[in-house]
Amino acid sequence: MATATPRTLRFPSPSLSLSSRLPLSSSFSVSLRPRRGAARPIVVLVSAGLGGKPTVLVAEKLGDAGLKLLKDFANVDCSYNLSTEELCSKISLCDALIVRSGTKVSREVFESSGGRLKVVGRAGVGIDNVDLAAATEHGCLVVNAPTANTVAAAEHGIALLAAMARNVAQADASVKGGKWQRNKYVGVSLVGKTLAVLGFGKVGSEVARRAKGLGMTVIAHDPYAPADRARAIGVELVSFDEAITSADFISLHMPLTAATSKILNDETFAKMKSGVRIVNVARGGVIDEDALVRALDSGIVAQAALDVFTEEPPPKDSKLILHEHVTATPHLGASTAEAQEGVAIEIAEAVVGALRGELAATAVNAPMVPSEVLSELKPFVDLAEKLGRLAVQLVAGGSGVKAVKITYATARAPDDLDTRLLRAMITKGLIEPISSIFVNLVNADFSAKQRGIRITEEKILLDGSPENPLEFIQVQIANVESRFASAISDSGEITVEGRVKDGLPHLTKLGSFDVDVSLEGSIILCRQVDQPGMIGKVGSVLGDENVNVSFMSVGRIAPRKHAVMAIGVDEQPTKESLKRIGDIPAVEELVFLKL
């Protein structure tokens, strides 16, 4: 393998703004906020164009505090009770959409947006009314507000639990009807009874805490819940069948998915204790409502307290709603003054943050990158995109990129390095220069798969301190020809490798040549015979063409042998000037790359 000794000459260049450093579309561009002193932002997602404020469509009622946050940043269109046709008509003029549970954000909505819609905010926890697959395919981020209404929903669950056990709603209606039926409305005690919490997320765990305080024995089922969190609350995690067969009360707190749809049905009701009582403040679709009516009629289920329904509002003649053993409320789980205000603020902050280019912690369809990981990897994000962009521009021929291997060199254990963000940015760099699509963290994996690009990742474990997350990143493209033969490594792939130096991305290996190239602006690469005066000859050609040089770097095998020269330029050279450089006798090959 050829080993080159890099030499670098630097020339001053003016600092450049985001708009001049990156080719932005007329409508969108986004960056992560750089740390103080960082040289430039890092493009990750998408937001409104630089020419004016973004437009946010609020399709369902939102608290005043949230609206104020939105109006301070964007043009806000509050249009409620839109039909599907009206929503599809409006959406092409909007950069963001905020909904609650009553608006269906279907594939048709995303298609009607014409690519402009970049953020959908769901003011609440559940996102079953948003077509996530369509959102991802169209590069649209979906964020929710999962924390602000947690306590309100848990409190409503406990309120329904107690009200059902003591027949509060039925007794109230009886008294107001002029009756005094003390014997009819004898209830059951909660203390000592077993409550099965199905879905042990934020709301489910808060319900469990409160039920423990009422003296109940609490068990839970959730295949994704950590056992240590359950133990800390004093809750035992059990299988689904064990939960439903041993419970006196069942409280539902699971999302509506293909796996949970009608999870309580004739078959599961038949396994339950006779006289079980059910509370649902999650999603109506997790219960087969016809089966629940049959279970209530047969006495398998003694009572049900329901805040959510498959169809909302339910039909007026619904047998379930009219059943004497059912307590029903109109989706009030999050309906406290405090929760409504909190949800409005939380979703407004998430949408505004996304439009500013910040990665939302509540993103639903993007890789969930913890804030501390994001902060640590930030210097490598720009490097990752630049390596992908550089590598794909080196590909020649029409066969296309099909196999890409990414190698990360690190002193950390494999499980301690989260590379999803880096993979997304390399994918962005690989696809955007050869496609009209704008790739972001949301749709990167989908975009690669759609184009038949197979991306594999490998981690090389190095000795040393794990304080620095990465030593270098290497990108290899297999089974392609190269526009610059020197970019082909000894193993036959186009190979580029880079490091972060002083917070800036640098190309440190090209093919088998060690180089030191600052990945800024545009670059001319030329392979030459190493001899005196080459830097001057190339510099003179560019000077004659009024092309400003920001740096020159030469990597060579040995003195007077082959060398690779990288020249950073602030302007794109003309074809004539590139030809003049290529005509210098010692220059063997030449390529211009726009980063």
Side-chain angles (χ1 to χ4, degrees):
M1 180 179 292
T3 302
T5 304
R7 294 181 288 155
T8 303
L9 296 178
R10 294 194 175 275
F11 299 87
S13 64
S15 61
L16 300 173
S17 67
L18 173 62
S19 59
S20 63
R21 294 283 290 276
L22 295 173
L24 304 180
S25 72
S26 60
S27 53
F28 299 103
S29 160
V30 169
S31 63
L32 285 172
R33 287 180 178 175
R35 289 178 292 183
R36 186 174 299 173
R40 56 168 290 181
I42 301 165
V43 173
V44 175
L45 291 174
V46 250
S47 72
L50 301 177
K53 286 184 174 183
T55 296
V56 179
L57 173 60
V58 180
E60 295 182 67
K61 190 169 176 58
L62 198 68
D64 291 340
L67 288 175
K68 183 180 184 306
L69 280 172
L70 291 171
K71 289 176 180 177
D72 287 344
F73 177 76
N75 299 314
V76 178
D77 176 0
C78 294
S79 297
Y80 306 147
N81 302 315
L82 294 173
S83 67
T84 300
E85 292 75 18
E86 290 169 333
L87 178 59
C88 288
S89 176
K90 271 182 170 287
I91 205 66
S92 63
L93 303 175
C94 301
D95 306 303
L97 168 66
I98 295 179
V99 299
R100 300 186 75 88
S101 60
T103 301
K104 300 295 183 185
V105 190
S106 63
R107 178 174 292 275
E108 184 182 1
V109 173
F110 291 106
E111 291 173 349
S112 299
S113 77
R116 179 164 176 176
L117 183 65
K118 296 303 171 184
V119 186
V120 171
R122 162 67 169 95
V125 181
I127 38 79
D128 43 279
N129 57 318
V130 180
D131 188 329
L132 287 181
T136 299
E137 290 173 27
H138 288 80
C140 182
L141 182 70
V142 179
V143 295
N144 65 352
T147 61
N149 61 8
T150 295
V151 170
E155 288 178 346
H156 194 60
I158 292 295
L160 287 178
L161 183 75
M164 173 180 62
R166 299 305 297 270
N167 300 300
V168 171
Q170 295 87 340
D172 173 72
S174 174
V175 171
K176 289 176 178 176
K179 300 176 183 179
W180 192 261
Q181 299 173 297
R182 294 182 66 193
N183 292 333
K184 182 176 181 178
Y185 296 116
V186 174
V188 294
S189 181
L190 299 177
V191 67
K193 299 297 184 3
T194 297
L195 171 67
V197 176
L198 303 184
F200 200 65
K202 290 182 174 67
V203 177
S205 57
E206 290 299 324
V207 166
R209 291 178 194 275
R210 286 156 177 76
K212 292 283 291 183
L214 294 172
M216 302 186 79
T217 299
V218 182
I219 58 177
H221 170 72
D222 189 326
Y224 306 106
D228 55 348
R229 181 159 61 85
R231 282 194 300 269
I233 300 174
V235 174
E236 181 186 2
L237 289 177
V238 298
S239 68
F240 178 77
D241 279 353
E242 185 177 351
I244 64 172
T245 56
S246 57
D248 301 301
F249 292 81
I250 294 174
S251 189
L252 296 165
H253 302 286
M254 56 185 62
L256 179 59
T257 66
T260 63
S261 178
K262 297 186 178 181
I263 196 168
L264 295 194
N265 50 47
D266 286 315
E267 182 181 349
T268 51
F269 284 132
K271 296 178 180 180
M272 297 177 186
K273 279 185 180 181
S274 181
V276 69
R277 289 169 168 83
I278 294 172
V279 177
N280 187 12
V281 294
R283 286 290 177 267
V286 301
I287 298 178
D288 181 333
E289 293 179 349
D290 293 335
L292 178 56
V293 171
R294 290 189 287 271
L296 286 161
D297 289 342
S298 69
I300 291 175
V301 176
Q303 291 176 292
L306 309 173
D307 185 49
V308 289
F309 305 91
T310 302
E311 181 184 346
E312 294 185 357
K316 291 181 179 180
D317 61 350
S318 166
K319 291 182 180 180
L320 183 63
I321 298 298
L322 297 175
H323 202 287
E324 63 175 331
H325 298 309
V326 171
T327 301
T329 55
H331 207 142
L332 298 178
S335 295
T336 66
E338 295 84 355
Q340 292 295 296
E341 203 74 349
V343 165
I345 292 171
E346 186 174 13
I347 198 61
E349 288 178 341
V351 168
V352 168
L355 289 175
R356 281 177 172 156
E358 301 164 14
L359 278 177
T362 60
V364 176
N365 63 334
M368 294 302 293
V369 183
S371 57
E372 62 273 12
V373 173
L374 183 62
S375 176
E376 185 177 53
L377 290 181
K378 193 178 292 185
F380 298 92
V381 170
D382 198 20
L383 172 65
E385 182 185 350
K386 290 294 183 63
L387 288 176
R389 193 171 290 270
L390 179 67
V392 78
Q393 290 184 76
L394 291 168
V395 174
S399 59
V401 176
K402 297 298 179 186
V404 178
K405 179 181 177 182
I406 307 170
T407 302
Y408 309 98
T410 177
R412 295 188 178 177
D415 293 341
D416 291 338
L417 182 64
D418 188 337
T419 61
R420 291 171 297 175
L421 176 58
L422 300 176
R423 182 179 71 245
M425 297 311 295
I426 290 170
T427 304
K428 174 183 174 71
L430 288 167
I431 292 176
E432 282 192 357
I434 56 174
S435 170
S436 60
I437 189 172
F438 191 97
V439 179
N440 58 38
L441 186 61
V442 177
N443 65 352
D445 287 343
F446 174 82
S447 299
K449 184 177 180 181
Q450 191 179 46
R451 285 157 180 75
I453 302 175
R454 187 167 150 291
I455 298 177
T456 59
E457 295 178 289
E458 179 182 78
K459 295 174 185 175
I460 297 175
L461 187 59
L462 304 175
D463 293 331
S465 170
E467 182 177 344
N468 190 35
L470 283 166
E471 186 64 26
F472 65 79
I473 302 173
Q474 184 183 90
V475 177
Q476 293 180 302
I477 302 178
N479 305 317
V480 292
E481 297 177 4
S482 177
R483 295 172 58 206
F484 190 69
S486 298
I488 300 290
S489 65
D490 292 344
S491 55
E493 300 94 359
I494 290 178
T495 300
V496 293
E497 183 177 299
R499 301 169 187 254
V500 171
K501 296 185 176 183
D502 299 323
L504 297 174
H506 280 244
L507 176 69
T508 52
K509 179 166 283 190
L510 178 71
S512 300
F513 288 85
D514 289 330
V515 295
D516 185 7
V517 178
S518 177
L519 293 177
E520 300 177 78
S522 299
I523 296 173
I524 300 169
L525 292 176
C526 58
R527 186 180 67 178
Q528 64 190 52
V529 176
D530 186 44
Q531 63 184 40
M534 285 301 300
I535 292 175
K537 291 178 182 177
V538 173
S540 294
V541 172
L542 294 173
D544 291 344
E545 298 287 342
N546 199 30
V547 175
N548 192 48
V549 175
S550 57
F551 68 84
M552 284 189 178
S553 174
V554 179
R556 60 185 184 176
I557 300 171
R560 309 285 177 148
K561 301 293 184 181
H562 287 105
V564 169
M565 180 189 296
I567 306 111
V569 291
D570 293 335
E571 296 84 24
Q572 181 168 342
T574 63
K575 291 181 180 179
E576 290 74 17
S577 58
L578 291 174
K579 184 179 184 304
R580 285 180 60 193
I581 295 172
D583 287 342
I584 297 173
V587 173
E588 298 176 329
E589 61 174 338
L590 175 75
V591 67
F592 172 73
L593 304 172
K594 193 169 184 178
L595 297 178

